[in-house]
Amino acid sequence: MSAWAFSFDDLSNQDASAGLKAALNKGSELAVAKLGAENGYYNNDKVRIALPSVLEQALPILRMTGQGKQLDELVVSMNRAAEAAVPMAKPLLLDAVKSMSVTDAKNILTGGDTSVTDFFKQKTASALGVKFLPMVKGVTDKAGLSAQYNTVMGQAHKFGVVPAQQASVETYVTQRALDGLYLMIAEEEKAIRQDPIGAGSKIIGKVFGLLK
């Protein structure tokens, strides 16, 4: 048994749970705050929502036919929709942390790099998808371009060229918004693991410090 494993086993269940909950609350709140700001998605290369690959590939031709500006506007509106929707995630993420069991906590602490992301996906992805979809649709519909997207991609889906998730702009953006959210939560978790003391909480430092 390694030294850190022995130390972690000796750590009380209360400390393990409290430390992880503090870290996850901090990480999820930071992720939502960063993404929910203007350009939170659009200016972040890691999560920026681009056109689906089938449209990206056709973009040079579409620009030649004068449709480039419309597609550029669609990209902006897709990212704005994600930025508008993501603050709705905060209460569900915090509820997931509150409901976390001691077993969940230890599994996450000793799990791999995606353990936190996997936990949040399992607890929140379905409910967040339901919450995000109407918000995303409202924003993209205002852009006046969603109908064109849905017509083109709907036809492409019928011919098996694109998956069902890309068939409408609202389902595509909702999925990409969720992917970006979980990615940023993972980034925040990684930062806390690398510098637990710098996370600003004694209990976070105590728990994550054992895993260094």
Side-chain angles (χ1 to χ4, degrees):
M1 179 180 294
S2 67
W4 75 260
F6 176 78
S7 298
F8 183 73
D9 287 341
D10 283 350
L11 190 67
S12 74
N13 288 344
Q14 184 177 359
D15 278 353
S17 180
L20 184 60
K21 286 183 178 182
L24 296 193
N25 279 336
K26 184 180 181 69
S28 59
E29 287 181 353
L30 284 171
V32 169
K34 289 177 180 178
L35 293 174
E38 185 176 355
N39 292 319
Y41 277 84
Y42 189 74
N43 282 354
N44 186 333
D45 290 340
K46 292 181 178 178
V47 298
R48 185 173 188 264
I49 301 174
L51 294 169
S53 58
V54 66
L55 286 180
E56 281 283 1
Q57 291 168 9
L59 194 54
I61 297 173
L62 294 171
R63 287 196 186 284
M64 290 174 63
T65 60
Q67 299 179 62
K69 184 180 178 182
Q70 287 182 311
L71 290 171
D72 291 341
E73 290 173 358
L74 178 59
V75 169
V76 172
S77 72
M78 290 193 302
N79 285 275
R80 292 289 178 265
E83 291 157 11
V86 80
M88 301 171 69
K90 184 176 177 178
L92 272 75
L93 294 170
L94 296 183
D95 283 347
V97 175
K98 286 180 185 176
S99 69
M100 185 175 59
S101 68
V102 171
T103 300
D104 287 334
K106 289 199 171 185
N107 286 341
I108 291 171
L109 283 167
T110 57
D113 290 341
T114 64
S115 57
V116 167
T117 305
D118 293 341
F119 169 78
F120 275 123
K121 278 185 177 180
Q122 180 186 1
K123 296 286 187 180
T124 66
S126 179
L128 283 179
V130 172
K131 278 185 171 290
F132 279 18
L133 194 64
M135 170 68 79
V136 168
K137 182 171 173 54
V139 175
T140 53
D141 280 355
K142 285 180 182 177
L145 302 167
S146 58
Q148 297 173 31
Y149 174 103
N150 293 348
T151 298
V152 172
M153 298 300 281
Q155 289 294 328
H157 172 60
K158 286 181 181 179
F159 290 105
V161 178
V162 299
Q165 285 183 338
Q166 296 181 14
S168 73
V169 69
E170 57 268 23
T171 54
Y172 172 66
V173 173
T174 294
Q175 186 57 54
R176 289 298 310 277
L178 289 173
D179 290 344
L181 172 62
Y182 296 129
L183 175 64
M184 290 306 294
I185 289 174
E187 291 285 309
E188 296 298 338
E189 179 209 3
K190 193 183 302 179
I192 290 171
R193 284 182 183 266
Q194 289 173 351
D195 184 18
I197 304 302
S201 166
K202 289 182 180 179
I203 192 64
I204 292 175
K206 182 177 180 180
V207 174
F208 280 84
L210 292 174
L211 304 184
K212 295 286 284 178

